[in-house]
Amino acid sequence: MSIRTKLVLSLSIVLALNLAIGLYAFHAYEQAAKSSEQVSRWANQIVTTSLSAQVHFKKQVQEWKNVLLRGQEHELYERYLNQFYDEERNTRNTLEVLLPLLDDGSEIKITTQAFYQAHQKLGNQYREALSSYLQQTQNPHIFVDKLVRGIDRKPTDLLDQVVSDTLAEKETRLAEIAAEAGKTGKRILLVALGGLTLAVVLLMWFADYA
C-alpha cells in the first residue's frame, strides 16, 4: 500500500470519526432541548391552569361577600348569588382540566385533590350559611359572616401551594436535564479526544511502515 493511499485512508477514518462524533453531539443536545421544552410547556400549562382556578376561586369568594354586603335587595341578592354559582362552576371546571395534567401520586396532584375536596366543602358551608341569611331579619350579613369567616383560607393556601410546587418541580426537572446535558458534553469530549488520539497513532503507524 502506497503512502498516499495510507494517508487517504487515515484521513478518511479521522473524518468518519469526526462526523460520527458530530452527529452524536447534535442528537444528544437536540434531545436535551426537546426535553427542556416539554418540561417548560408542561409546567407553564399547569401554572396557567392553576392561576385560572385561583382567579375564579377568588372571584367566587368576592361574589359571596357581595351577597352578604349588598344582598338586602332581592334583585341584587339573586344577581350576586348567580355570579357566585358561576364562579364556583368555573373553578370546578378548571380543576377538572388541571387534574389529568398531573402525575398520579405526585405531591402536586395530592395537593390539587385536597383543594378540590376543600372547595366542595366550602360550597356546602356557604349554602348552609345562606339559609341563616334568609332567616335573619336584622344584620343578616354580620351573622352569616361569622359562620363562614376564614373558611376560604385553607383552599386558598392549597391552591397557592399547587402553583409554587409546580414551579419548584419545573426547576428540578430542568436542572436534571442540564446536568445530563453536561454529562453528555463530557462524554463527547472524551470520545473526540479518543478519536484524535487514534488518528495520531494511525498516522504515526503509517509513517513508520511507509
Side-chain angles (χ1 to χ4, degrees), residues 91-197:
T91 302
R92 189 175 297 118
N93 290 340
T94 307
L95 289 174
E96 289 172 356
V97 172
L98 175 62
L99 283 168
L101 300 174
L102 305 172
D103 297 333
D104 291 335
S106 67
E107 287 296 326
I108 301 173
K109 189 159 191 173
I110 292 172
T111 305
T112 304
Q113 290 170 332
F115 170 76
Y116 191 89
Q117 294 170 356
H119 181 253
Q120 289 181 317
K121 182 179 179 181
L122 180 86
N124 293 333
Q125 289 175 306
Y126 277 156
R127 284 170 173 77
E128 290 176 5
L130 276 179
S131 61
S132 299
Y133 182 90
L134 296 174
Q135 292 170 5
Q136 293 291 318
T137 56
Q138 291 184 345
N139 300 320
H141 61 288
I142 296 177
F143 179 81
V144 173
D145 182 60
K146 290 179 180 179
L147 295 178
V148 297
R149 185 175 299 168
I151 66 172
D152 60 309
R153 189 172 299 118
K154 179 180 178 180
T156 299
D157 291 343
L158 286 169
L159 201 51
D160 289 344
Q161 189 66 38
V162 170
V163 176
S164 61
D165 285 352
T166 301
L167 291 172
E169 180 69 12
K170 174 184 176 181
E171 294 302 317
T172 299
R173 292 195 183 189
L174 290 176
E176 290 173 352
I177 292 170
E180 185 59 33
K183 292 178 182 178
T184 300
K186 291 178 180 178
R187 288 196 295 269
I188 292 170
L189 179 60
L190 290 174
V191 172
L193 290 174
L196 290 174
T197 301

